[in-house]
Amino acid sequence: MNIITENISVKNETLTLTNQRAIFWKRENALILSDVHIGKTAHFRKHGIPMPDGVLQNDLERLKQLILYFNAQKLLIVGDLFHAEANVDIDTFQLWLNQFEDVQIVLIKGNHDRLSKSIVSKFDFEIEKELEITPFTFVHEHLKKHSEQFTISGHTHPGVRIKGRGKQFLKLPCFQVNEHQIILPAFSLLTGLNTRSQLKDSVCYAFTDTSIFKF
């Protein structure tokens, strides 16, 4: 797995974008990510929809390598860590967490994070509707009420559509950045890309396995 990085300056803070769909914030020693959607593959299989093997394991391995690469001590997950009701994927995630007992995890709730209290209580992490760590506000979805704050969010699964030869197009995930907010790409590889909406006056940092480039 290649980890490609690019530093950007936001509100006098250095944020490190990665081609592995997460941001590292050095001051807080924190990885910031969104839309992991744990439980999605098991949920679809339960309803008769075939899913490729190893999707969750691949996502968790990528997250493990990011934690080790940056020596991160905190995970800030801006929503949709989970996808659906309790299933075997939740158990897989719980076992995976055992290797990172010293890593603090904060979940900012997303629209899919609807597990019962009895399930959530099995996990030793903090759960918030919003989280403020100056100069940022962490939310799942940026709303009008956040217009006076700089938010870091997810939810929309941003991507870009790049025209190739003839009628060919390439879709890539991206970070969308403007003077008021950052929208993160979905961390899970099993997500669609929204290439139809872009923040006003934003820069898109798209990426591949080998590079990060901006539009």
Side-chain angles (χ1 to χ4, degrees):
M1 180 181 101
N2 291 327
I3 298 178
I4 309 299
T5 64
E6 179 161 339
N7 290 337
I8 62 172
S9 180
V10 179
K11 297 291 183 179
N12 296 318
E13 295 287 337
T14 298
L15 300 178
T16 302
L17 310 183
T18 77
N19 69 329
Q20 297 300 328
R21 303 177 178 231
I23 293 175
F24 181 66
W25 185 9
K26 185 175 181 180
R27 194 196 84 188
E28 292 292 316
N29 204 7
L31 279 169
I32 308 166
L33 60 151
S34 183
D35 296 279
V36 188
H37 288 282
I38 293 168
K40 187 173 185 177
T41 54
H43 174 76
F44 282 179
R45 286 193 182 108
K46 180 180 177 180
H47 290 83
I49 302 172
M51 286 285 110
D53 293 331
V55 172
L56 176 60
Q57 288 76 10
N58 288 341
D59 286 342
L60 293 178
E61 178 61 24
R62 287 170 42 241
L63 183 53
K64 174 182 177 179
Q65 294 305 317
L66 285 166
I67 292 171
L68 296 176
Y69 181 86
F70 289 106
N71 192 25
Q73 298 301 306
K74 184 185 299 183
L75 297 181
L76 300 177
I77 304 171
V78 291
D80 287 359
L81 171 61
F82 302 108
H83 180 80
E85 73 283 351
N87 55 41
V88 294
D89 285 353
I90 306 298
D91 298 332
T92 298
F93 177 57
Q94 190 172 14
L95 288 173
W96 178 87
L97 279 177
N98 291 337
Q99 65 191 306
F100 296 113
E101 293 180 350
D102 295 332
V103 176
Q104 178 187 359
I105 300 176
V106 182
L107 169 62
I108 294 88
K109 287 186 68 174
N111 54 297
H112 279 279
D113 295 313
R114 298 190 297 264
L115 293 181
S116 67
K117 290 183 180 180
S118 62
I119 298 298
V120 172
S121 65
K122 296 180 180 180
F123 297 99
D124 184 23
F125 47 66
E126 180 183 343
I127 300 177
E128 303 285 351
K129 290 183 178 180
E130 295 184 7
L131 176 68
E132 291 190 22
I133 305 177
T134 304
F136 304 128
T137 297
F138 297 89
V139 295
H140 181 56
E141 181 181 7
H142 179 96
L143 301 172
K144 289 183 179 179
K145 69 178 182 178
H146 303 124
S147 59
E148 301 301 318
Q149 303 161 296
F150 191 98
T151 63
I152 297 179
S153 64
H155 185 60
T156 62
H157 304 185
V160 295
R161 191 168 182 256
I162 303 171
K163 190 177 186 307
R165 293 183 178 179
K167 296 182 179 180
Q168 294 181 336
F169 288 87
L170 177 64
K171 291 183 178 181
L172 294 174
C174 71
F175 300 87
Q176 293 182 345
V177 184
N178 69 11
E179 63 177 330
H180 302 295
Q181 60 177 307
I182 295 174
I183 301 180
L184 280 76
F187 186 79
S188 176
L189 299 179
L190 188 67
T191 53
L193 293 178
N194 177 4
T195 61
R196 295 186 177 184
S197 65
Q198 184 172 340
L199 294 178
K200 183 179 180 181
D201 301 323
S202 67
V203 174
C204 292
Y205 292 86
F207 48 85
T208 65
D209 288 338
T210 59
S211 62
I212 298 175
F213 46 96
K214 64 181 180 179
F215 293 85

